Each structure stands twice: as C-alpha cells, then as structure tokens.
C-alpha cells in the first residue's frame, strides 16, 4: 500500500525471523531527510516489547504494513554508514545464499560492542579554564589544596582531557568541583577523523629476490589489480607464496590501497603478523578471537577509517570494513576453519570472493593443497591458475617414503626404522617433527576380560584417556569422567588403554631420547596463546629437539631446522565416512610433510601405514597433490558430488529421538512437495540418522539435498525456509540448514 508522502525505513533486526521490518522515521525527522538516510547506519527500534539495534537497509515510500501498525524508529544511532555499499551488498548476498535471517547476518558482521548502542566514534570531553578561573585569586580556594594545584595547571595548559588530568594526578571529582565553582568548563571534542595511512619505504634485509615463478605470478596478479579478478596461487609448501603476497601488497600500499588477509585460525600467530610488520612501515592490524571486544573494535575502526594498510584476521575478519580496499588474500584457502560450523554457517573463503567482486578488487586464494572446489574453478578457467612448482631459495622438496607396519613389530606405535631415523637426525643436530592426529593419551579404554569400552553417554563416540590431568574426556561434547579402577560391566581389574595419543607418544619419546627435549603441541598444551607462542619460540631457537603434535603443527609454520617429519599413522582418513575424508587426509599429510627441509638442509618424510599399496598413498609419495586432486575430482564427478553438484544439509536435533524424527520427516515432506513444483531438480537423500547420531545429548537427523542446479536449490531453500518456521514441530526441535556443508558427520 503506497503512502507517497511518508518515508518508510526498512530495517534488519537480529531475530530468527527472515524478513526486514518497516518503521516510520523518528518523530521530528522530516520525511525528505529520512529518505536520504544512508543504508548501513544503525537505528534503535521498538521490537515486541524490547528496544533493539537494527541496521537500515533502505528507505523508501512503500510498505505492505497497514499504517496504524507502523511504529517509529526510536533513535538514529549513526549518521554515517558502518558498512559500505559493497560490504552491505555482500551481506545481503550471504543472507540469501545461506538462507540465514538477515538481521543475524548483519549482527554477526558487527563487532560485539557495536551490536549494542556504543558510538562508532566515541565523543570525548576536555576541560577548559573559564574567564573567572583565570581572574580569581587562587588563595580564595582556602584549604582546597588539590583544587588549587589543578587550577594552576589549567591556567598554564588548557584545555586538558580528563585522561591528561589523571596522568598529572588529578581525578574527575576535582574537575567537577572546579566546574561547580564555574572556574572550568567541560567542552565537547569532536572525534578527529583519522587519515588514511601514508606508505614510506622500508628496507627489510630479509626481503629475497623473487625467482622466475614468483615473478610471473606477481606480474600476472599485478596486471589484474584494477578490477575484480580471482587468482588461485597453487604453490607447493615453501615455494614462497607469502613472498608473492608481500610484493603485491606493497604495490597496493604504494597507491594508498588496503589489503585484507584471511588466515586459518591456527595460522594467526605473532610470528605471522610480525612478518608483515617487519616488511611495511604502515599500520598492520589483527582481528581474531583472542582479542577483547575493545581491541577488536579498535582494529575494526582503524581498518574502516583507512588508517590500517594491512588487516590480517581469521574467518570473521571477512566482514571488516575498509575505506580504500585494494586486495583480498585468503591464505591456506583449503582450511576447514574458514567455514563457520554453527549459527550463520558461512564460508569466509567464498564470501571473500563475493566481497572482492562487490568491491571490484582482486582476490588471491593461496594454498599448497587447494580445495577441490578451487582446483575445479581453476581448471574450468573461472579462476586464473598460478603455479609455483619449486621451492624458493635453495630448499629442495622433501623426499617421501612409506613404511608398512602391517606386519611389523612397533614399540608404542614406532617402527624400528622410524626410531633409527629419529635418532640419526637428532644426533646430526637437527629437529624432528612427529605428527600424530590424536590428542590425549590413548583413544580407547577397554576391558580385556569382557570387551567393555569407555563411551560417552552424551555422544556416539568413545572416550579418550588423558594423563595430564588424569581423566576420560569426550572430544565432541567436552564431558569429563574419572577413569574407573575396575570394569563397570564385569568388575575385572584388567582395564587397558589402546592406541596412541600425543601424551603417550610424549612419554615414550622422552624415555627413548632423554638427551633431547620433546615439545608437545596440541590443543591441550596450547590452550593459551602465550603458551603456544613460547613453544613456537623454543622451536625457532633451532636446537635439536622433537616437536610432537597434531594438526596445529601442520599450518604454515616455517621451521628451518626440521629435517625429518614422521607421520605415525596415515590410515585414519583412507576409509572415512565423510566424502571429503581423502581430500582432507591428503591435505594434512602434505602440509605436515611440507614442514621438512625448508632451508638449506634436505628434508625427509616417513609415513607409517598398514595399507602401503593404497592408490592414494602411492600417489602421495610418488607424485604430486595435482595428481591426487585429479583422481579425487574424477571420483567426485562420477558420484555427482561437489564441486560437480551442490549440497545443502537440513538437520534436526532433539533430546527426544521421536521429536527429531517427526520434525525431519515433516520438513522432508514439505521439501518434496516444493521440489515437485521445481520438476524434481533437487535429489533428496534421507531423512537418515546422522553418522554420529547422538552428540552432546541430542539425537540428530539429517536430510541431504543434492543438485546440479544452484538456482533450483536456492529457490527450493528459499521457499522452504519461509514455511518451516510455520510447522509447529519446528519450534520443539533445533533445526538448521547448512548450505555447502563441509561436515556431514
Ligand atoms: P610458502 O608461503 O609458500 O610456504 P614462504 O613465503 O613462507 O613459502 O617462503 C618460505 C621461505 O623461503 C621463507 O623463509 C622465505 O623468506 C623464503 N623465500 C621466499 N621467496 C624466496 C626467494 N625468491 N629466494 C629465497 N628465499 C625465498
Ligand atoms: Zn569388563
Ligand atoms: Zn560426548
């Protein structure tokens, strides 16, 4: 119903409802002014019986709401948009693509304090002496000595901020007492606009001369910097991808443009940030989960104002506003941490590509083991494919070898050959990396008498034995139990631990090689960032030692003294239930292998397995990731799995298995009916119990949607998401939708 003279403000509000909400402008604001309000500002609005912060998406003079039901915006919080048009459009795209409530998308994109009413640029006050304050006899303040000294100070130097007064030893009460006597005034200081960064040349003694391959990559990217282009920088570990980033970033800094770099969660260490700070004389800000809300807000502001030349962050940094964007980089683009696994389930890598398109800037996705999605995009010509096939500098690619332990005697999981090699490398003054994909002491606790296994009561999984501190832990829901002294089923004392975890290997290796320190790096030993950093520093010192750890060690670290990488058990991914199992395994093994021989000493990688003839392992040691990718892509094509089709996963969870089943069945019916109107373009698998049916006390039911037609999937999901909330049962369970899921377990 058009109301031509009245302005209508269309607002995104954080709520599970998927629509935008219409409001009238706040009282006193003229309609023509309201129509000019810019999208991306925050407004305070009444919502039910609460007041909430929303984001203005557009103003118009149309609405479908009947006039007497329209409420007014309470207040306008910002007068300048927090999101640029490009960022705003990327978020609108994401809400639609991931079928996530739009208000929650905008809320996720804001730093926590701005989700409340905090000012973008907090106003500050300063204190100025009045004419009276200059004129009076100071002595007439009698015995108020502190006030007298403060007045002295302000006569010499005024205005002063409260913080400056505090540094000089005067608190705010004293200032207020002087104000009561009309001797000083409080004046409002407009926040100063921060200027864009200025780039000055800096000599970095470590800056290498790029080789021909790097040169070609740099030249190609530089040729496309003017507008949106997507490059896949496919370079083996140690080929100098980071150097390529650095040189492109430098070119952008010279012309006043900012770069946004996304890195995996584990990859963002002070060492990484330092590498960028060392090279450039501009402000490099970090955005990650280890920061306090205030620190995050500060980095966000500096990025938004244009004062930061380089913004480096983990997944959610993809939402950082930039005044002068020039380049986006996603390092280790295959990494699983770029996908958010709950709530707003976005892929930061995919969103970064959309953002680059909206911002009309270049994006570089870099990896030694690109995801099959990106590989296929490069093969099909959608992304430009840049290859670095050789290691940079003098480093040679490591030599990989399989050790078959199917019929071998092993000591705590280590074969004779492996132990001999570890000894030799340590003895020659080198570092050895032992990779084991399980944290804890042992993955299984078993009764030898009756076969009882320690299992989690809340999940369909076994409990892991931990030694420090002593406990049985569930790695899925985090629950903790005491280790029983006798079997709960048959009371036998024959309880044994099976399998190797990092803690057990640590115990074994420390006994086996007492002359060398064994540094364990896993989630348990590095819960605090400081601890992780101090361990990384110890490794950097270079003295011969054993580094023992999980995937944390696989990500992007450059440890020049490692000459031997030992992979204790390569078999866990070979027969995985997940369709990405083999891809992930190959990526992890090659990333770990890539830590060997990164400097002038040659590297060796020994891989223990019980399936040494498996084609995947054979290709891994004899050939390259490219060949593995080729094999896997062929399989995916035959099976019509991504990247040759698109997936979406509907999940219903409840403590009551019946409710979860009823809910998923009703949703499946609804989807099937809608799908018919779309000529059955979408295949439905299920509903079925999830591979891990019970997790954290909830039963989980899955319905997998698969199609070749992205538009058909979008339309189906869009229609379904409007109607699922109307099903009564949907309010009794937790239901969720994961578009392009990475985890089907
Ligand atoms: P990647 O990111 O591909 O794993 P890096 O950029 O970290 O590789 O490079 C590995 C090491 O090689 C670093 O120490 C880096 O300084 C060095 N390096 C990079 N390019 C060159 C080059 N052209 N010549 C010599 N050393 C180089
Ligand atoms: Zn028993
Ligand atoms: Zn559990």
């Amino acid at each position: 119903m058009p109301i031509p003279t009245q302005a209508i403000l269309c607002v995104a509000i954080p709520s599970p409802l998927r629509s935008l909400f219409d409001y009238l402008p706040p009282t006193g604001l003229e309609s023509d002014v309201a129509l000019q309000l810019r999208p991306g500002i925050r407004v305070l609005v009444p919502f039910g019986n609460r007041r909430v912060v929303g984001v203005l998406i557009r103003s118009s003079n149309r609405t479908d709401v009947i006039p007497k039901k329209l409420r007014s915006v309470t207040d306008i919080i910002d007068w300048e948009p927090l999101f640029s048009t490009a960022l705003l459009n990327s978020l609108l795209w994401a809400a639609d693509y991931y079928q996530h409530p739009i208000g929650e998308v905008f809320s996720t994109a804001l730093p926590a304090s701005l989700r409340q009413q905090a000012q973008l640029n907090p106003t500050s006050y300063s204190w100025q002496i009045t004419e009276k304050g200059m004129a009076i006899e100071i002595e007439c303040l009698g015995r108020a000595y502190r006030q007298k000294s403060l007045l002295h100070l302000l006569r010499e130097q005024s205005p002063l901020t409260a913080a400056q007064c505090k540094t000089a030893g005067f608190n705010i009460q004293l200032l207020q007492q002087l104000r009561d006597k009309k001797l000083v005034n409080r004046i409002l200081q407009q926040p100063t606009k921060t200027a864009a960064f200025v780039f000055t040349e800096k000599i970095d003694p470590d800056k290498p001369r790029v080789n021909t391959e790097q040169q070609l990559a740099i030249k190609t990217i530089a040729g496309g910097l003017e507008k949106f282009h997507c490059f896949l920088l496919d370079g083996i570990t140690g080929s100098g991808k980071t150097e390529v980033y650095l040189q492109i970033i430098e070119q952008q800094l010279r012309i006043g443009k900012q770069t946004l770099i996304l890195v995996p969660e584990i990859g963002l260490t002070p060492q990484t940030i330092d590498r960028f700070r060392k090279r450039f004389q501009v402000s490099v800000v970090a955005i990650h989960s280890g920061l306090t809300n205030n620190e995050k807000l500060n980095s966000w502001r500096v990025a938004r104002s244009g004062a930061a030349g380089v913004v480096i962050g983990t997944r959610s940094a993809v939402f950082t506003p930039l005044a002068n964007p020039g380049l986006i980089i996603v390092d280790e683009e295959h990494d699983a941490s770029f996908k958010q696994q709950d709530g707003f389930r976005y892929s930061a890598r995919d969103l970064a590509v959309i953002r680059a398109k909206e911002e009309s800037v270049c994006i570089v996705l870099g990896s030694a083991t690109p995801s099959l999605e990106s590989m296929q995009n490069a093969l099909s010509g959608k992304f430009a494919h840049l290859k670095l096939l050789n290691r940079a500098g003098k480093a040679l690619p490591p030599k990989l070898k399989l050790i078959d332990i199917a019929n071998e005697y092993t000591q705590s999981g280590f074969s004779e050959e492996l132990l001999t090699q570890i000894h030799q490398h340590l003895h020659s003054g080198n570092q050895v990396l032992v990779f084991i994909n399980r944290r804890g002491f042992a993955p299984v606790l078993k009764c030898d008498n009756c076969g009882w296994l320690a299992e989690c009561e809340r999940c369909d999984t076994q409990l892991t034995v931990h030694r420090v501190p002593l406990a049985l832990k569930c790695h899925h829901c985090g629950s903790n139990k005491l280790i029983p002294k006798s079997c709960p089923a048959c009371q036998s004392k024959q309880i044994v631990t099976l399998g190797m975890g990092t803690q057990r290997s640590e115990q074994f290796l420390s006994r086996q090689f007492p002359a060398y320190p064994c540094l364990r790096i896993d989630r348990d030993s590095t819960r605090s960032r400081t601890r992780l950093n101090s361990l990384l520093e110890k490794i950097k010192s270079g003295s011969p030692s054993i580094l023992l750890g999980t995937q944390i060690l696989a990500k992007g670290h450059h440890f020049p003294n490692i000459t031997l990488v030992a992979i204790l058990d390569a078999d866990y991914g070979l027969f995985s239930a997940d369709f990405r199992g083999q891809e992930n395994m190959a990526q992890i093994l090659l990333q770990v292998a890539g830590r060997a021989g990164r400097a002038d000493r040659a590297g060796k990688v020994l891989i223990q397995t019980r399936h040494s003839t498996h084609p995947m392992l054979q290709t891994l040691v004899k050939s390259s990731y490219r060949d593995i990718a080729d094999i896997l892509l062929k399989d995916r094509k035959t099976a019509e799995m991504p990247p040759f089709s698109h997936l979406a996963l509907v999940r219903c969870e409840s403590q009551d298995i019946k409710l979860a089943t009823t809910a998923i069945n009703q949703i499946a019916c609804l989807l099937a009916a809608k799908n018919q109107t779309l000529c059955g373009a979408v295949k439905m698998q299920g509903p079925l119990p999830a591979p891990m049916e019970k997790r954290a006390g909830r039963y989980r039911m899955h319905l997998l949607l698969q199609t070749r037609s992205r538009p058909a999937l979008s339309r189906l999901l869009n229609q379904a998401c409007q109607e699922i909330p109307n099903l009564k049962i949907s309010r009794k369970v937790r239901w969720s939708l994961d578009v392009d899921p990475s985890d089907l377990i």
Side-chain angles (χ1 to χ4, degrees), residues 84-301:
S84 64
T85 314
L87 186 48
L88 194 94
N89 286 342
S90 310
L91 295 173
L92 291 174
W93 176 90
D96 184 55
Y97 184 88
Y98 294 107
Q99 294 295 331
H100 196 73
I102 188 160
E104 287 183 4
V105 170
F106 275 85
S107 174
T108 309
L110 282 174
S113 24
L114 295 182
R115 289 174 207 157
Q116 312 295 323
Q117 293 180 54
Q119 289 295 317
L120 171 61
N121 294 308
T123 39
S124 59
Y125 295 98
S126 53
W127 301 78
Q128 190 170 40
I129 193 147
T130 60
E131 273 179 32
K132 186 178 170 197
M134 285 306 272
I136 65 153
E137 273 296 330
I138 287 199
E139 277 317 308
C140 71
L141 289 172
R143 293 210 274 169
Y145 300 113
R146 300 292 297 148
Q147 291 182 29
K148 282 191 203 167
S149 332
L150 178 55
L151 197 61
H152 261 303
L153 174 69
L154 283 160
R155 276 186 175 179
E156 277 161 26
Q157 213 184 328
S158 169
L160 284 177
T161 63
Q164 285 169 320
C165 293
K166 198 169 169 197
T167 321
F170 303 102
N171 61 22
I172 190 92
Q173 281 83 12
L174 282 167
L175 284 161
Q176 276 157 355
Q177 285 158 4
L178 289 182
R179 183 165 69 155
D180 292 344
K181 295 177 182 160
K182 305 213 164 21
L183 303 176
V184 301
N185 261 339
R186 200 176 72 159
I187 54 170
L188 184 68
Q189 264 194 337
Q190 285 307 327
T192 41
K193 269 223 176 315
T194 21
F197 66 86
V198 181
F199 178 74
T200 41
E201 209 67 47
K202 183 176 177 186
I203 308 295
D204 178 356
D206 292 340
K207 180 175 174 178
R209 268 201 32 202
V210 289
N211 60 32
T212 347
E213 284 186 329
Q214 289 171 313
Q215 183 78 52
L216 182 66
I218 294 167
K219 233 174 120 185
T220 316
I221 300 170
L225 281 175
E226 300 282 293
K227 51 180 197 278
F228 170 67
H229 274 116
C230 190
F231 296 95
L232 175 64
L233 183 59
D234 173 6
I236 63 165
T237 51
S239 57
K241 296 181 289 296
T242 314
E243 190 54 43
V244 172
Y245 305 150
L246 287 164
Q247 303 224 1
I248 302 285
I249 294 170
E250 184 173 332
Q251 295 193 14
Q252 291 301 76
L253 290 173
R254 277 180 203 286
I255 54 167
K257 299 268 181 153
Q258 300 171 280
T259 297
L260 172 66
I261 310 169
L262 302 182
V263 297
E265 254 155 40
I266 297 167
L268 190 51
T269 59
Q271 289 82 354
T272 317
I273 301 168
D274 280 351
R275 196 158 167 198
F276 290 88
R277 292 213 169 118
K278 227 174 113 214
R279 185 64 69 85
F280 307 123
Q281 191 111 46
V282 293
S283 148
V284 174
V285 296
I287 295 192
H288 56 82
S289 56
L291 300 180
T292 65
N293 283 346
N294 253 339
E295 289 168 331
K296 268 190 220 164
L297 179 60
N298 259 335
S299 301
W300 192 90
R301 276 200 196 111

Side-chain angles (χ1 to χ4, degrees), residues 456-461 463 473-479 694-697:
C456 179
E457 281 154 22
R458 308 180 66 223
C459 309
D460 286 333
T461 186
L463 294 169
K473 280 191 189 172
C474 174
H475 287 181
H476 293 279
C477 69
S479 55
K694 195 173 165 203
R695 188 157 170 178

Side-chain angles (χ1 to χ4, degrees), residues 447 450 452 487 490:
C447 168
C450 75
W452 168 87
C487 170
C490 73

Side-chain angles (χ1 to χ4, degrees), residues 582-650:
Q582 296 205 11
E583 176 187 354
N584 292 342
M585 187 201 73
Q587 286 163 344
I588 292 178
L589 292 188
L590 282 170
Q591 294 284 348
V592 180
R595 303 310 117 207
R598 288 175 63 98
D600 42 9
R601 280 172 269 182
K604 192 167 187 179
V605 181
L606 297 174
I607 304 172
Q608 293 195 146
T609 171
R610 286 181 176 75
H611 305 273
S612 60
T613 54
H614 194 287
M616 170 67 75
L617 290 175
Q618 286 293 330
T619 317
L620 193 87
V621 293
K622 289 204 183 116
S623 187
S624 63
Y625 180 74
R626 181 71 51 75
D627 290 322
I628 293 180
D630 277 347
I631 299 174
L632 293 176
L633 278 170
K634 273 198 198 100
D635 290 351
R636 297 274 184 95
K637 194 165 190 174
T638 320
E640 280 195 38
M641 288 301 267
F644 301 98
S645 69
H646 311 285
L647 297 183
L649 179 70
V650 187

Side-chain angles (χ1 to χ4, degrees), residues 250-514:
E250 184 173 332
Q251 295 193 14
Q252 291 301 76
L253 290 173
R254 277 180 203 286
I255 54 167
K257 299 268 181 153
Q258 300 171 280
T259 297
L260 172 66
I261 310 169
L262 302 182
V263 297
E265 254 155 40
I266 297 167
L268 190 51
T269 59
Q271 289 82 354
T272 317
I273 301 168
D274 280 351
R275 196 158 167 198
F276 290 88
R277 292 213 169 118
K278 227 174 113 214
R279 185 64 69 85
F280 307 123
Q281 191 111 46
V282 293
S283 148
V284 174
V285 296
I287 295 192
H288 56 82
S289 56
L291 300 180
T292 65
N293 283 346
N294 253 339
E295 289 168 331
K296 268 190 220 164
L297 179 60
N298 259 335
S299 301
W300 192 90
R301 276 200 196 111
V302 181
R304 181 180 174 278
S305 69
V310 178
V311 179
I312 174 164
T314 48
R315 184 173 60 229
S316 67
V318 71
F319 303 119
T320 316
L322 301 168
N324 303 304
L327 174 66
I328 302 179
I329 294 168
V330 183
D331 190 27
E332 312 285 354
E333 65 87 35
H334 64 278
D335 194 86
S337 74
F338 289 124
K339 171 87 178 171
Q340 167 96 16
Q341 297 291 8
D342 52 16
F344 173 26
R345 297 171 162 83
Y346 64 97
S347 148
R349 177 198 61 213
D350 297 349
L351 199 44
V353 175
I354 298 298
R355 170 119 191 243
K357 199 168 177 181
E358 288 291 340
E359 305 270 12
S360 292
V361 302
C362 237
I363 176 161
V364 181
L365 308 180
S367 175
T369 53
S371 63
L372 294 182
E373 280 77 3
S374 297
M375 206 58 148
Q376 181 55 25
N377 279 332
L379 295 171
S380 72
K382 197 168 154 196
F383 296 172
H385 199 171
L386 305 170
K387 294 167 204 166
L388 305 179
L389 302 172
N390 298 293
R391 281 200 156 175
K394 287 190 229 99
L396 291 170
K399 289 204 166 48
L400 278 64
K401 186 182 169 222
L402 298 175
I403 300 179
D404 198 313
I405 49 167
N407 304 309
E408 278 274 317
Y409 168 74
T410 60
Q411 278 185 72
S412 292
F414 289 78
S415 63
E416 177 94 39
E417 182 178 355
L418 199 54
L419 288 173
T420 314
Q421 287 286 331
I422 293 176
H423 177 79
Q424 277 180 9
H425 281 256
L426 289 172
H427 192 70
S428 325
N430 296 315
Q431 290 178 331
V432 173
L433 188 159
V434 177
F435 174 77
I436 166 161
N437 211 25
R438 288 203 186 97
R439 62 194 175 90
F441 184 77
V444 179
L445 185 74
K446 188 184 163 202
C447 168
D448 251 357
N449 186 38
C450 75
W452 168 87
L453 293 169
E455 284 170 344
C456 179
E457 281 154 22
R458 308 180 66 223
C459 309
D460 286 333
T461 186
Q462 288 176 8
L463 294 169
T464 304
V465 183
H466 279 245
R467 270 288 161 90
V468 263
L470 198 65
L472 276 171
K473 280 191 189 172
C474 174
H475 287 181
H476 293 279
C477 69
S479 55
N480 262 312
K481 268 175 132 181
L482 291 176
I483 298 179
K485 294 213 162 56
S486 57
C487 170
C490 73
Q491 272 68 52
S492 144
K493 298 262 185 238
Q494 285 169 265
I495 295 201
V496 293
T497 53
L498 295 180
M500 293 297 291
T502 44
Q503 294 174 359
R504 185 177 228 167
S505 307
E506 181 186 23
Q507 194 181 61
F508 172 74
L509 288 168
S510 307
R511 282 186 198 146
Q512 200 74 13
F513 303 104

